[in-house]
Amino acid sequence: MDTMEIPNFGTVAVCPYNNSHQVPVERMQKHLVRCRRQYPNAKMAVCPFNNAHHVPEQELSLHTKACPDRAHMETFKYAISTNRNTLPQTGVYVRADGTTVEATSPPMDEVPDNEENWDDMDAPRYDPQQYCLNNPIIRKATHMTASEKRRFYESERARHEMLKKRNA
């Protein structure tokens, strides 16, 4: 992707679908989605390392070998260090109960247990209708006849007055 600096505007990139499109780098990915729809017959492929890299299909293998964003993916895929000191080594570890064990990593009993268990919560069931009845929530009458709406709003006024007196 060709980029250039334009004074008083910022860095722009040239669209691979249409060379006359010069788009700010921050908006290039959004532009490419739209431009790809405008040019459905363009034989372009998307880089597996960066979705903002659209290259001709015959150049994709060359691009993936030299893509600048490939390094970011490689750091996650492979170990960076080849130093043997960073590899796990056998050692003697002391458990929480005072006994010792020879292992390549600390014993699992030293890992603290997570005390939070969401399955054992004794919380009451949430009922939205009941919550609205007991709190000053404004409700709307829907799918009712005119007389039903009138009765509903009268009962709502009485409910709100009762809640005001109870909370005062």
Side-chain angles (χ1 to χ4, degrees):
M1 182 169 22
D2 298 329
T3 60
M4 64 181 107
E5 185 70 30
I6 296 180
N8 298 328
F9 189 73
T11 306
V12 295
V14 178
C15 174
Y17 292 96
N18 187 338
N19 290 340
S20 64
H21 295 171
Q22 294 179 355
V23 183
V25 175
E26 307 87 43
R27 300 191 59 204
M28 180 52 85
Q29 197 163 6
K30 187 175 182 179
H31 171 81
L32 288 173
V33 171
R34 291 181 179 172
C35 217
R36 187 174 191 158
R37 274 190 250 141
Q38 283 185 332
Y39 299 96
N41 296 330
K43 297 194 183 313
M44 301 291 269
V46 179
C47 173
F49 304 114
N50 188 339
N51 286 338
H53 294 172
H54 289 222
V55 294
E57 287 178 349
Q58 57 268 42
E59 294 178 16
L60 181 63
S61 63
L62 180 66
H63 173 81
T64 55
K65 291 176 185 172
C67 181
D69 292 322
R70 180 185 183 119
H72 299 298
M73 191 66 67
E74 298 291 329
T75 57
F76 293 109
K77 189 173 178 183
Y78 300 111
I80 298 172
S81 175
T82 58
N83 187 355
R84 288 192 155 291
N85 295 336
T86 60
L87 298 174
Q89 296 179 351
T90 303
V92 177
Y93 294 96
V94 179
R95 290 189 173 148
D97 61 358
T99 60
T100 59
V101 64
E102 189 173 329
T104 57
S105 63
M108 291 304 292
D109 61 351
E110 290 187 16
V111 178
D113 290 332
N114 188 358
E115 297 173 6
E116 188 174 32
N117 185 355
W118 290 31
D119 294 332
D120 294 339
M121 294 179 105
D122 293 329
R125 196 176 129 247
Y126 175 70
D127 183 10
Q129 291 290 344
Q130 193 64 34
Y131 178 81
C132 288
L133 287 174
N134 296 327
N135 291 291
I137 307 291
I138 298 174
R139 300 188 306 168
K140 186 176 179 181
T142 56
H143 307 295
M144 295 181 183
T145 63
S147 62
E148 289 173 334
K149 285 182 181 180
R150 195 175 319 112
R151 282 192 301 271
F152 175 79
Y153 286 123
E154 286 173 7
S155 67
E156 283 295 290
R157 273 192 284 282
R159 182 178 69 87
H160 279 271
E161 288 298 322
M162 182 192 67
L163 289 171
K164 281 182 187 176
K165 289 178 186 175
R166 187 175 68 183
N167 291 336

